[in-house]
Amino acid sequence: MPSPVLTSLSAENELPSFPVSLYLAPWVVPISSPVIRDGAVAISNGRILAVGSSSSIQAQFAGARVKNCQGVLLPGLVNAHIHLELSAYHHVPRPAPDETFCDWIRSLLQLRQEGGIEPEDMARAARNMLQQQHDAGVLLLLDIGNILPSPPATIAPAVHLSFLLELLGPTSKAEEQVLARIASLSDSVAATPHASYSTTPGIMTALKQRADRLQHIFSLHVAESADEIELLQSGRGCFRSFLEERGAWENIFPYPGMDGSGSVEYLEHLGLLDANLLCVHCVHVSEKEVQMLAEHGCKVCLCPGSNRFLDVGVAPLEVMLRHQLLPALGTDSIASNEELDLWREMQILREDHPGVVPAAVMAMATLGGAKAMGCEEEFGTLAPGRKAILLNVDSPDLQGVGNGEQLLDTLTGGGRPEKICWIVEA
Ligand SMILES: [Zn+2]
């Protein structure tokens, strides 16, 4: 019997015919709809056509090529915050109990300034890290760096890498230089600020206007440590000492009219809150600030492994979800995390937030990330029209699973599955 063909996706007889493939698995996790036991995904011409129970999909596409998979089909994971160029800096020590976030920055800067790592070793470490991300089931990465360009995303079969050039300058003199550099950048280079404590308002607003004009992602570190809030609110604390040490303290905090406000309120004051803002970390944000982020349609990315490594606190995930804000997940760099593994990030999130349902954690690692990167129409869910790239995972832990809830509990709480492979149909 010949394979059936799809004659039309929307209007009849307008599209060419393409063969249809069916992928069947004991479990399908579409993210955008409930977990399906004995499910199937129909694919044609590089796109998902339909997702449903195995019996209904096979009836709908009778005679299509069928491939039986073990375990679970789900969308590829999204790492919405990583610094690949720091992949060789795995030896930056975590802060001692009497040390601050600023001490960790000092250690990292010292290592980078000493220049003990050759550029080719840094590039090799970045490529290896990218390969590791792919092998762990990561489909999309948002890579931030200020020295190296991202390694070429040539890893087959599936990695989609976006690179943001990170710029910073805490003084008016630095601002002049950075603005000149921004003006000289090719439009193909996406550029973004580092953080409020390291970048003047003039640089941040110039970069935001540029990102909006060029439709680039605009992302920065926000409210990562309590020290940042102390600086913004009072102009004191370890960040002030840090900036003074470098001759970079210009007394701009507390920003005029901003006494007592948090990091998100500061960004709001600068007019930066909108749907093209990705705030990374958001550990020290008030409920009022979470509400502001949600109302403006801003994106958030949490990095629980990095926050634990640096001992900066735990982001208010429950409050975010209550305000209909689905954050993305990121590993940050190996300089501030023991390992860069999104399965471990989900596990840490479950430990830190036992009241959050596993389905929300799984959605963060997929759909939340795709939304943060502005590509939820292509990735992040298994739904009609999305790209035909499926992640297939399996592990002995999944054998005794009886329902969708237990499946998501195991996937998000059990660490990296034993078997991970990609299904890609171009
Ligand atoms: Zn970071």
Side-chain angles (χ1 to χ4, degrees), residues 282-297:
C282 289
V283 175
H284 297 275
V285 290
S286 65
E287 176 147 9
K288 182 183 165 200
E289 289 182 302
V290 170
Q291 195 171 348
M292 290 168 94
L293 290 169
E295 282 172 2
H296 284 88

Side-chain angles (χ1 to χ4, degrees), residues 81 83 221 281 332:
H81 187 75
H83 305 269
H221 301 82
H281 293 296
D332 220 323

Side-chain angles (χ1 to χ4, degrees), residues 231-312:
L231 180 80
L232 262 57
Q233 291 187 344
S234 68
R236 288 194 287 270
C238 81
F239 270 116
R240 173 157 180 176
S241 318
F242 179 82
L243 291 166
E244 281 176 341
E245 276 164 37
R246 282 161 175 73
W249 173 248
E250 287 196 347
N251 215 17
I252 70 163
F253 299 116
Y255 200 67
M258 292 296 298
D259 196 3
S261 303
S263 289
V264 173
E265 288 169 298
Y266 175 57
L267 298 178
E268 203 262 344
H269 194 74
L270 299 183
L272 301 182
L273 297 197
D274 62 21
N276 184 28
L277 172 67
L278 172 57
C279 297
V280 180
H281 293 296
C282 289
V283 175
H284 297 275
V285 290
S286 65
E287 176 147 9
K288 182 183 165 200
E289 289 182 302
V290 170
Q291 195 171 348
M292 290 168 94
L293 290 169
E295 282 172 2
H296 284 88
C298 306
K299 315 297 190 302
V300 168
C301 175
L302 305 188
C303 303
S306 172
N307 298 156
R308 183 180 282 191
F309 182 93
L310 296 174
D311 196 22
V312 292

Side-chain angles (χ1 to χ4, degrees), residues 370-409:
K371 283 184 168 176
M373 292 180 66
C375 51
E376 68 271 28
E377 298 300 321
E378 300 278 327
F379 305 103
T381 56
L382 299 185
R386 302 297 183 272
K387 285 212 169 177
I389 304 176
L390 317 179
L391 189 60
N392 182 205
V393 304
D394 199 9
S395 99
D397 298 347
L398 297 171
Q399 299 308 316
V401 158
N403 57 42
E405 227 168 277
Q406 288 172 12
L407 180 84
L408 293 172
D409 182 41

